[in-house]
Amino acid sequence: EVQLVESGGGLVQAGGSLRLSCAASGFIFDDYVIGWFRQAPGQEREGVSCIDTSDASTGYADSVKGRFTISSDNAKNTVYLQMNGLKPEDTAVYYCAAALWLRGRIGSLIPRSEYDYWGQGTQVTVSS
């Protein structure tokens, strides 16, 4: 059974940091891109960052470049999203997702339609 379990969300003041984790199981981790998405109330779900776990190539949304860093620990089948310099507009439910990806390095976000599996989400709230 495929599982993606997010953790690490919470309440933080503007300018603070959080580290989200996405623990994956039930599939061959190295064959997948793991992505982070977020959805604020009344908004569309948007891509934040993604990583190809086979070669650690990454993609980021412009809104988080320079503030968020995605990384992967393949020994633990876990992807992390380090979020620094948080802003109130980063408030959302954050989801991780997995996309089977055998097409080589990525250099940007891959389309949401590519993702096969989704986690349940973790709430991030940034107060001003």
Side-chain angles (χ1 to χ4, degrees):
E1 178 189 6
V2 172
Q3 281 195 315
L4 295 168
V5 180
E6 303 97 335
S7 62
L11 173 64
V12 64
Q13 288 189 328
S17 299
L18 284 173
R19 188 177 81 156
L20 305 183
S21 299
C22 173
S25 61
F27 58 90
I28 300 173
F29 191 70
D30 290 3
D31 286 345
Y32 281 74
V33 163
I34 305 296
W36 284 99
F37 291 77
R38 65 187 182 187
Q39 187 167 20
Q43 304 286 324
E44 294 281 323
R45 191 172 296 190
E46 64 174 355
V48 174
S49 183
C50 59
I51 185 166
D52 182 338
T53 58
S54 68
D55 60 21
S57 55
T58 59
Y60 292 93
D62 288 343
S63 59
V64 306
K65 281 180 182 175
R67 299 189 298 124
F68 291 10
T69 303
I70 193 169
S71 62
S72 176
D73 184 337
N74 288 24
K76 296 181 178 180
N77 283 10
T78 300
V79 167
Y80 304 97
L81 185 68
Q82 179 67 43
M83 305 187 295
N84 298 329
L86 282 161
K87 305 174 182 180
E89 52 263 43
D90 294 317
T91 295
V93 178
Y94 283 70
Y95 300 88
C96 68
L100 180 64
W101 190 264
L102 303 174
R103 286 170 257 180
R105 293 182 65 82
I106 59 174
S108 60
L109 297 177
I110 67 171
R112 179 178 168 182
S113 59
E114 294 285 349
Y115 289 87
D116 306 295
Y117 306 111
W118 292 83
Q120 294 300 305
T122 186
Q123 176 71 46
V124 171
T125 303
V126 185
S127 63
S128 57

